[in-house]
Amino acid sequence: MLHLKKTFLLLITLLVIVSGCASDEDKKQAHLKKALKSIQEEKFDVARIELKRAIQIDPKYTEALNLLGDTELKLGNIQDAIRIYYALIELDPENMDAQVKIAGFLMLAQKFDEAMEKVDLVLNTEPNNPDAQLIKAGLLMQDNQLLEAASLFEKFIAQNKDDMRGYMGLAQTLVARKDLDKAEKVLR
């Protein structure tokens, strides 16, 4: 009888412990939810903490890594953001958002060939990716391939009529080609 009571108490204790502990999946989702709320409220320091907690639970949590990279950018921690985006690409080479961001950073670092490789990778998968189109057009301008750049800016504008970046890029390309009248028309 005593043995039965001990077994019963042990079983009850285990059930309480197991039911009282949230699963890792639940915990990381709770941290992500808190982070998203903090991002919406522009509390980026709090969001960073919550995202890091989620990643501590699951180091391969790509959604949290992507948001952490974006959050580091918002906080002005560019090197940290770049490091995170590279880690994200290591885990998920198909993450085109991170690939585009890395391409942009490579372009800013004047690593034009590497940037072009990244942006071509994205455009081969997502031909209408607007950020990739803009980066590629900028790379083409830098390489003095002005007709190709203008063509890509025009494609961008056709798909994103309300985005001024395409008009500005096309106008810069036209100015570089000494077509000032057409550049002026583009900006009107």
Side-chain angles (χ1 to χ4, degrees):
M1 184 68 147
L2 184 61
H3 181 65
L4 188 59
K5 279 185 177 179
K6 285 183 178 179
T7 304
F8 181 72
L9 283 174
L10 181 62
L11 187 61
I12 294 293
T13 304
L14 285 172
L15 283 172
V16 168
I17 290 171
V18 169
S19 66
C21 295
S23 72
D24 282 350
E25 184 65 30
D26 291 341
K27 289 177 186 175
K28 80 178 189 183
Q29 290 300 322
H31 289 301
L32 180 67
K33 186 177 179 182
K34 289 177 187 175
L36 289 170
K37 184 176 188 276
S38 297
I39 289 169
Q40 192 174 34
E41 296 171 353
E42 297 186 10
K43 296 178 181 175
F44 300 113
D45 286 324
V46 175
R48 176 179 27 189
I49 291 166
E50 292 299 331
L51 291 165
K52 285 184 175 184
R53 287 178 179 162
I55 294 164
Q56 233 175 359
I57 294 167
D58 180 1
K60 295 181 179 181
Y61 192 13
T62 57
E63 184 179 1
L65 279 167
N66 199 29
L67 285 170
L68 181 58
D70 294 347
T71 300
E72 292 294 358
L73 279 180
K74 294 276 188 188
L75 291 167
N77 302 325
I78 295 169
Q79 292 300 322
D80 289 337
I82 292 170
R83 181 185 49 75
I84 291 164
Y85 292 134
Y86 270 115
L88 182 55
I89 289 170
E90 283 279 320
L91 290 172
D92 180 13
E94 304 295 313
N95 187 314
M96 295 302 127
D97 184 47
Q99 295 281 10
V100 167
K101 289 172 184 165
I102 291 296
F105 289 123
L106 288 167
M107 182 178 167
L108 291 173
Q110 298 184 357
K111 295 182 178 181
F112 302 121
D113 292 339
E114 291 176 58
M116 187 64 85
E117 284 178 30
K118 291 283 184 197
V119 83
D120 282 341
L121 173 76
V122 173
L123 289 172
N124 286 335
T125 305
E126 299 176 4
N128 294 323
N129 183 304
D131 292 324
Q133 288 175 339
L134 288 175
I135 292 169
K136 181 161 186 166
L139 289 167
L140 291 169
M141 278 184 63
Q142 186 282 324
D143 197 33
N144 210 28
Q145 298 179 45
L146 301 177
L147 289 174
E148 294 88 345
S151 176
L152 200 48
F153 281 124
E154 288 168 351
K155 178 181 178 184
F156 175 87
I157 291 167
Q159 297 166 353
N160 305 280
K161 293 190 184 317
D162 294 331
D163 193 329
M164 290 305 297
R165 297 177 299 170
Y167 297 100
M168 296 300 295
L170 179 58
Q172 284 180 310
T173 304
L174 293 168
V175 167
R177 288 176 42 200
K178 310 274 191 263
D179 194 345
L180 301 179
D181 290 337
K182 192 169 180 184
E184 186 179 340
K185 288 178 187 175
V186 166
L187 294 176
R188 284 190 182 176

